[in-house]
């Protein structure tokens, strides 16, 4: 396909992109107490919820494999324990995503934005 657009300018009339921080600036930020606090804030939320969800998922799988009688227990109508716990997996997934979104907006994003702004100002 042939285009009629001229090539981008190479000289001083070229639009300069954002200036990128140096490798040393990234390393300095990574070693800073502020970045360490951001990482701790993230990990203190993500790791416990990840472990809890994996345990909850494995419990569901183990019950499905080894407690068929319990999982087949009818709760009402044709709804049994397995179906309720299976749907609970989906509900838990959406709940965790919503909680993380709130956590990130309230605690992670402001700290990350402050670090980013400082790096861009220094570049």
């Amino acid at each position: 396909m042939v285009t009629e657009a001229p090539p981008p300018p190479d000289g001083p009339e070229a639009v300069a992109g954002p200036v990128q921080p140096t490798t040393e600036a990234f390393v300095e930020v990574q070693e800073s107490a502020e970045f360490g606090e951001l990482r701790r804030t993230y990990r203190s939320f993500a790791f416990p919820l990840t472990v809890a969800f994996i345990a909850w998922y494995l419990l569901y799988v183990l019950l499905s494999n080894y407690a068929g009688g319990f999982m087949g227990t009818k709760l009402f109508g044709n709804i049994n324990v397995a179906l309720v716990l299976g749907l609970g997996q989906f509900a838990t997934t959406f709940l965790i995503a919503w909680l993380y979104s709130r956590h990130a907006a309230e605690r992670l994003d402001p700290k990350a934005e402050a670090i980013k702004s400082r790096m861009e100002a220094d570049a």
Side-chain angles (χ1 to χ4, degrees):
M1 181 173 157
V2 179
T3 63
E4 299 297 323
D10 289 334
E13 66 275 1
V15 178
V19 178
Q20 293 294 317
T22 63
T23 302
E24 292 79 21
F26 279 108
V27 171
E28 182 181 323
V29 167
Q30 182 183 9
E31 294 172 350
S32 72
E34 185 179 27
F35 188 76
E37 176 61 27
L38 175 63
R39 236 183 3 236
R40 272 189 299 284
T41 303
Y42 168 74
R43 289 177 178 170
S44 69
F45 181 87
F47 288 175
L49 272 180
T50 301
V51 169
F53 184 78
I54 289 172
W56 159 229
Y57 175 74
L58 289 175
L59 174 67
Y60 175 72
V61 170
L62 291 172
L63 286 172
S64 295
N65 282 319
Y66 300 110
F70 169 70
M71 295 295 270
T73 304
K74 299 228 184 225
L75 298 175
F76 47 91
N78 286 329
I79 308 298
N80 60 17
V81 172
L83 180 63
V84 171
L85 293 181
L87 292 174
Q89 292 287 318
F90 287 103
T92 305
T93 301
F94 289 112
L95 176 66
I96 289 172
W98 178 73
L99 289 172
Y100 177 76
S101 176
R102 282 189 42 202
H103 175 75
E106 292 173 6
R107 298 201 179 145
L108 300 177
D109 293 348
K111 292 177 184 180
E113 186 60 38
I115 292 170
K116 178 184 171 219
S117 297
R118 209 166 8 272
M119 284 191 76
E120 288 173 347
D122 292 342

